[in-house]
Amino acid sequence: MGEKTKPWRWQEDDLTVTRGSAWSGPGCHIGCGVLLFTDKDGKLVKVEGDPDNPFNQGRLCVRCLAVPNATNHPDRLKYPMKRVGARGENKWERITWDEAYDTIVKEFTKVKEQYGAESVIFCQGTGRDIAPYISRLAWSFGSPNWVPLGLTGNACYLPRVAGCIATTGSFWVADCSQASPLRYDNPDYKVPECMAVWGNNTVVSNADGFYGHWVVDLMKRGTKLIVIDPRLTWLASKAELWLQIRPGTDAALALGMLNVIINEELYDKDFVDKWCYGFDQLKERVQQYPVSEVSRITWIPEEKIIAAARLFANSKPATVQWGLALDMTQETLPASHAITALWSITGNIDVPGGMLPPPTLLFYGGGWGDELISDEQKAKRIGLSKYPLYQYGFVVAQPDEVANQLETGEPYPIKAAWIQTNNSLACMSADPKKTYAGLRKLDFVVGVDLFLTPTIVACADIVLPAATYPERDGLRFGDGPQRGEAINKVTQIGECKSDMQINLELGKRWNPEAYPWDNVQDMFTHMLKSKGVDYSFQELREVAPIYPPQEYKRHEKGTMRFDGEVGFNTPTRRIELFSTFYEQAGLDPLPYYKEPTESPLSTPDLYAEYPLVLTTGAKHWGMFHSEHRQIPHLRAIHPDPTLQIHPEAAAKFGVKAGDWVWVENSMGRAKRKVEITPIMDPRVVNADHAWWFPEAEAAEPTLFNLWDLAINQLVPFQPGKSGFGGNYKSLLCKIYKVAEEEV
Amino acid sequence: MKVFVIDVARCNGCYNCQIACKDEHVGNDWTPYAKPQPDTGQFWMKVNETVHGSVPKVKMSYVAMMCMHCENAPCMNNCQPDAIYRREDGLVVIDPEKCTGCMNCVDDCPYGVIYFNDDLMLAQKCTGCAHLLDKGWSVPRCVDACATDALRFGEEEEFKAEIAQAQVMFAEYGTSPRVYYLNLPKKFIAGTIFDPEIDEVLIGAEITCQNEKTGEVFKVKTDNFGDFWFKNLDVGDYSVWIEMGGYLTQTMEHISTIKDVNLGDIPVYKEVKVAA
């Protein structure tokens, strides 16, 4: 591995093969090494995994195998358009890029002059590689309001990252030797004896820079799994222990495991002694979580909690591959804090096969170019006063407060929005009708995407066609350990442009000093050089992937901290089991568990009316959030939005497999097709998220059947105390059959 | 002669084979090997998910289904234009230029893997990507795209060891498939043993399971959760008895494994102590 057998581009029969990275458009959180095959007309005809790329070692998932179907899809947006009917009528007229840019600059500038730059919000979703570029666009315009539109409590990835950095000074990922180009052959690496797969179905979701098949690689090498999941996944059915957890109670489980590990003295006393701060306070706190109580809360049998705690603590090394379920609990920070404590006190920090601080080239979550915006403008970032934690190292606006401000215009009005890779109404927005009403009040909205989406049809005045990854050059930074990967353009569809090119060309018009580059390649070269990578973009594509050097036990060597001292990047230089940072921000400095806002235990009366626990958002193989519904081969794998329900519950509620049902709570309802399966607990149902039907009428009121299908109509804007976390995965609902005429 | 070996235990259901097949054959005319596969409706390679048992004794597996490239291929028997042929490497191919659309093969295939294309009036199925093999590929697209090595393809000789342990689909039809399956999910009987008087599971109880027809006997002990599993059982009727020191032996008979069986929580009772 690492020795490439061929250059970055070569000829194979009548096809041209180009090596590259698959990040992104369509959405993805990974960026596997790919080989793109184009014919003599420059048409993308096939994608294969790059066997020379250590990350995926030649493997791919179905979404990349089907990328030609997405890139070449007849329904792609192919040129800029402006709205000619009313919003929602889906009437558009083709315009030039120049006219589009001119109009956007004119309208945004009008808002800036009348209300201030902060009245234009810059909204992004997930999975398309734009964080550095959209943040620069917002800041170069003078707006501090870069936001994942509608994502209550920023409940995706950022809470875990934020929580880890706050308490340990770094983010941590499960070590599958992904930071080494030698991978499993790295002589320093040790295969973990045990991996807790916590709150994600790794092989399907491929989340956060973590390639799911690595878990299978480790299983083949002897790793035992503890799978914590409300559903019996394939991994769970192969696990040493499957803990079928009640959704939203992960913090309680972690605290119960800590209780066992601490009281049975199974922790790493030497590591705790040297490198942990606040162990005695943590020890006192976990006494509130005896296994019997934790079993009552989590619905997991006591003996399984004890067995999991012992297996994890006695495995050397042990690691945790955690997922979105942690972010999508309302009190997400204490949940992450508890899990961080689990791997810390067992001595699994920064050891081979334990938890790895991901080497970083560009911390893209922090945005790019904050020197472009004044302190005065920065202070106007939405949500800062209500959620002080957002001031410490975080640069996004608080989405719940953005939603409120869209509604009320207080403390200042929002007048325009730039929406890039964000089908908010169909996907991430909680209470999407609130977001819809807010956007519809705006004077001017721009949408940038691959296809027409419900969000664009309902709200946009100008729409710009974005490129998929085979249509663009780029750099792959992204989640997890970063590598220097080049994304190489091989084809052109219509007048589509990459998100980076669009932002460069638009930003140049309103702030040329912020964009001194002639083209995206020069911009990428600048980004590389400014991070100490001594390659131009053109040189990088020849040598990619490049790996930053990796070493273990950096805290002992003084390379974890920016000041070169030994220890971790926290005020105490230790892993803070008791967080000085949270204490300073007025939050509980120790991990704790809070029951979901609505639940069988917190609201028994409501539970009587809505007798099922509802969890949402689980991924399917062929779909990335709201995308891929128009790709026939992928849609065939999972053609309809489903509700998974246990056979006993199905019998109790009188529904059969294939029935269409309404899933309803006090906020709203959505249609789902019943899938009866024993993988569920009879008290819990699992609903697909992010559905719309591209094949349905686009114009309102149908709007691609959005309002029949959007499950987030049941999800409230309800963040945790810190402004992080939400209740996407732990709600209550009832179900009943859809009337014959409504199917 | 070529064979496919499909190890069900390794398959995590990623659907790569299904999509790679689509990518290779939809919109591509590989005549004389095959005409294009339609976008939807046909799956020359299809992943079927199976979930068996009942909570908490549940297993999940994925079984890839494709043309079995049978040695005694029923599809070849009634083909009116004699359009179906076996290549030297053993792959069975429907010649799209000879096929008249009589549909006999669609009806005759016991595996349901031959599809009818209404637009082209053709019977279509997996070709083993013979067009690629003839170009020098060592394996078909589906095998190439398999992320877990669950799908393999090669010379029969190379796979001797695997074939010795493998099963074929519907061996009773005598079709002699060239697609061999390892670790196909067989049936299980599982349960949990507990003492209702103390409301505790019993660890280390000896469980015996006997096939009532063949007399074959299996033994396991309950684990730390009082659970036991007898896996990889053939379909049949079984007796199960539970023995533990100090407890009354309990016997259950005529347990059918047409479906996987979770016997649930099974109470066992302490022996009666008779005063001396």
Side-chain angles (χ1 to χ4, degrees), chain B residues 122-140:
Chain B
L122 276 180
Q124 292 182 291
K125 68 167 193 70
C126 164
T127 63
C129 284
H131 66 290
L132 292 178
L133 302 179
D134 290 351
K135 257 181 18 189
W137 282 55
S138 58
V139 296

Side-chain angles (χ1 to χ4, degrees), chain A residues 456-589:
Chain A
I456 287 174
V457 169
C459 306
D461 304 300
I462 295 261
V463 52
L464 304 178
T468 62
Y469 76 82
E471 299 162 65
R472 72 177 185 95
D473 285 332
L475 300 175
R476 193 277 171 197
F477 295 121
D479 317 317
Q482 292 185 344
R483 326 171 287 289
E485 296 264 20
I487 300 150
N488 290 315
K489 176 175 172 136
V490 300
T491 190
Q492 174 70 40
I493 303 294
E495 293 182 9
C496 296
K497 294 184 181 189
S498 72
D499 292 286
M500 303 79 208
Q501 188 181 350
I502 293 169
N503 294 14
L504 170 66
E505 291 173 356
L506 181 61
K508 249 179 181 321
R509 291 182 180 233
W510 63 46
N511 189 346
E513 293 79 39
Y515 292 92
W517 311 287
D518 290 337
N519 53 52
V520 285
Q521 295 190 347
D522 289 355
M523 180 168 76
F524 299 143
T525 298
H526 168 84
M527 293 172 86
L528 289 167
K529 302 260 173 177
S530 70
K531 295 292 161 189
V533 179
D534 198 21
Y535 291 111
S536 67
F537 171 75
Q538 289 84 347
E539 289 164 344
L540 178 71
R541 66 164 39 140
E542 301 281 348
V543 295
I546 54 164
Y547 281 72
Q550 185 210 1
E551 55 178 350
Y552 292 107
K553 300 226 174 185
R554 288 168 52 196
H555 59 283
E556 292 180 356
K557 297 166 186 160
T559 54
M560 276 303 284
R561 289 177 60 86
F562 300 123
D563 62 9
E565 299 287 341
V566 295
F568 297 90
N569 225 350
T570 60
T572 59
R573 292 199 201 169
R574 283 175 276 173
I575 301 288
E576 297 195 351
L577 306 173
F578 177 102
S579 169
T580 56
F581 191 85
Y582 289 164
E583 193 179 37
Q584 187 190 345
L587 301 167
D588 192 330

Side-chain angles (χ1 to χ4, degrees), chain B residues 257-273:
Chain B
T257 55
I258 287 179
K259 281 182 163 184
D260 296 284
V261 182
N262 176 9
L263 294 168
D265 295 339
I266 306 163
V268 294
Y269 302 96
K270 287 203 175 78
E271 282 175 344
V272 184
K273 287 194 186 105

Side-chain angles (χ1 to χ4, degrees), chain A residues 643-654:
Chain A
L643 181 81
Q644 292 184 311
I645 184 169
H646 187 274
E648 284 169 21
K652 185 173 162 191
F653 295 100

Side-chain angles (χ1 to χ4, degrees), chain A residues 240-255:
Chain A
E240 187 81 2
L241 288 167
W242 169 43
L243 276 48
Q244 187 169 28
I245 193 168
R246 176 165 66 95
T249 66
D250 304 84
L253 174 62
L255 287 157

Side-chain angles (χ1 to χ4, degrees), chain A residues 46 48 59-62 65 203 213 220 232 234 237-238 241 303-304 307 621 633-634 637 678-680, chain B residues 9 11-16 18-19 22-23 26 39 43 51 53 55 58-60 62 137 141 147-148 225:
Chain A
K46 188 169 74 167
E48 287 187 356
R59 298 168 291 189
L60 285 180
C61 84
V62 287
L65 293 172
V203 288
H213 289 303
K220 286 179 178 171
L232 180 111
W234 180 83
S237 86
K238 302 264 177 186
L241 288 167
E303 61 273 15
K304 288 212 171 177
W621 287 106
H633 304 169
L634 297 177
I637 297 174
I679 71 171
M680 301 303 300
Chain B
C11 175
N12 66 3
C14 78
Y15 293 93
N16 274 8
Q18 183 172 320
I19 297 299
K22 284 284 178 189
D23 190 57
V26 174
D39 250 340
F43 298 94
V51 180
V55 168
V58 185
K59 291 288 166 199
M60 182 181 276
Y62 298 88
W137 282 55
R141 271 296 294 282
T148 60
F225 307 108

Side-chain angles (χ1 to χ4, degrees), chain A residues 415-438:
Chain A
K415 287 291 172 184
W418 170 267
I419 302 179
Q420 192 166 19
T421 179
N422 190 342
N423 185 4
S424 183
L425 301 183
C427 192
M428 65 164 52
S429 183
D431 193 359
K433 284 205 168 123
K434 178 172 173 170
T435 302
Y436 171 80

